[in-house]
Amino acid sequence: MDDGRIPKDVLYGELAIGTRPSERPTLRYKDVCKRDLKVCSVSSADLESATSDRATWRSTVTAGVLQAEERRKSQWEERRTRRRQRLQAAPIATTTNYTCSKCQRTCSRTDRAVHSKRREEKRREEKRREEKRREEKRRKEKRSKSQPE
């Protein structure tokens, strides 16, 4: 293949200037082509000789794509069976009841969270009431001291 042809430039060319981002870089067309050729089991060493004959190249690519597709399907099936086995092996979680340490009520996990919130609200309300009572008591004591007998 002659120099300066687009396929040759894409496969063998390198970037002269510029930088790529530090996180996962966006794939260039060249990167995607190389990845697809690798998946199709086409070696980059024979690439130039394989592309010189169009019929050979087409049959090579077609066979590679079929093999890659079969590998992808078999990997998908393996993952699917592993996932199903893992789900079947896992015991079905039954609702576990918990006993509240303060009021000795039996609650499920979600009820326990709600129950603890209610308990906290009750505690706050009791504290407010207690503070009001203390304040009222102080006021009464002040009034009684300030009034002469």
Side-chain angles (χ1 to χ4, degrees), residues 24-137:
R24 182 177 183 258
T26 54
L27 294 176
R28 300 172 292 178
Y29 179 74
K30 174 183 174 178
D31 298 330
V32 174
C33 289
K34 284 187 176 184
R35 180 192 63 197
D36 291 344
L37 288 171
K38 187 176 181 180
V39 167
C40 292
S41 302
V42 176
S43 66
S44 57
D46 326 332
L47 196 59
E48 197 167 340
S49 62
T51 56
S52 62
D53 183 20
R54 184 175 175 85
T56 308
W57 173 247
R58 285 179 60 93
S59 63
T60 304
V61 169
T62 303
V65 168
L66 289 175
Q67 287 175 356
E69 190 65 23
E70 285 299 318
R71 274 195 307 270
R72 187 189 65 81
K73 283 181 182 178
S74 66
Q75 288 173 350
W76 180 81
E77 283 295 329
E78 287 173 17
R79 276 190 246 129
R80 183 173 180 236
T81 54
R82 275 186 285 176
R83 186 172 51 245
R84 285 187 172 204
Q85 288 172 351
R86 190 172 55 240
L87 288 175
Q88 288 174 353
I92 298 172
T94 59
T95 56
T96 307
N97 291 328
Y98 299 95
T99 305
C100 177
S101 60
K102 298 294 181 186
C103 67
Q104 305 305 318
R105 285 179 47 190
T106 304
C107 311
S108 68
R109 181 170 284 195
T110 54
D111 291 340
R112 186 174 135 195
V114 171
H115 182 64
S116 64
K117 285 182 183 178
R118 288 182 187 151
R119 189 173 59 228
E120 287 298 319
E121 289 172 3
K122 285 181 182 179
R123 283 182 191 160
R124 288 186 195 124
E125 187 63 32
E126 286 175 13
K127 283 184 180 180
R128 284 188 211 119
R129 288 180 188 157
E130 186 64 31
E131 286 296 319
K132 280 186 177 181
R133 285 185 205 132
R134 288 180 186 162
E135 189 63 35
E136 283 296 317
K137 193 174 181 180

